[in-house]
Amino acid sequence: MAEDKKKASALDGAVMTAEGLSFKGVIMNPVVENCIGCERITEFEGLTYCPSYAQPATKWTRGICNFATHMKGTLDKQGKAKVNPLKASKRAARGR
Ligand code: SF4
């Protein structure tokens, strides 16, 4: 009985419209390259979306997305992830 239940998708109720994927009245944009690896990414009809944020590109304009599960810290001028060296050292000492 319980095996028949499908796991609820984060985008349940979303509808593909002419403008794009509509979810709870908001048009969702597909995830961007920086999002790759994030656990929040959800697939819908062959494209990938973020159920936490409708416009993933905007979340990356001022640094690392604060909802990202795969990256923490800030971005340097070249757009690469930059982690506070003191915090990184403490994390390494704790074995994380
Ligand atoms: S939470 Fe941020 S990094 Fe993750 S998919 Fe959404 S916009 Fe991308």
Side-chain angles (χ1 to χ4, degrees):
M1 190 164 98
E3 293 127 28
D4 294 339
K5 277 188 170 180
K6 278 174 110 182
K7 189 181 171 198
S9 165
L11 290 175
D12 270 354
V15 180
M16 190 57 80
T17 66
E19 294 95 49
L21 183 68
S22 175
F23 182 58
K24 295 181 180 175
V26 177
I27 298 297
M28 311 284 288
N29 290 340
V31 296
V32 294
E33 192 180 333
N34 283 333
C35 298
I36 293 170
C38 181
E39 291 172 13
R40 295 183 199 273
I41 291 176
T42 303
E43 194 175 318
F44 189 89
E45 293 184 1
L47 291 173
T48 48
Y49 297 91
C50 172
S52 302
Y53 205 73
Q55 298 173 329
T58 311
K59 288 303 283 180
W60 288 93
T61 55
R62 292 179 178 233
I64 292 177
C65 168
N66 59 323
F67 296 155
T69 61
H70 63 307
M71 235 186 251
K72 298 279 180 228
T74 56
L75 292 180
D76 62 14
K77 287 177 185 162
Q78 284 79 40
K80 293 190 177 168
K82 190 172 131 187
V83 176
N84 181 328
L86 186 58
K87 287 183 180 178
S89 162
K90 287 179 179 175
R91 273 189 210 121
R94 276 185 267 151
R96 290 197 293 171

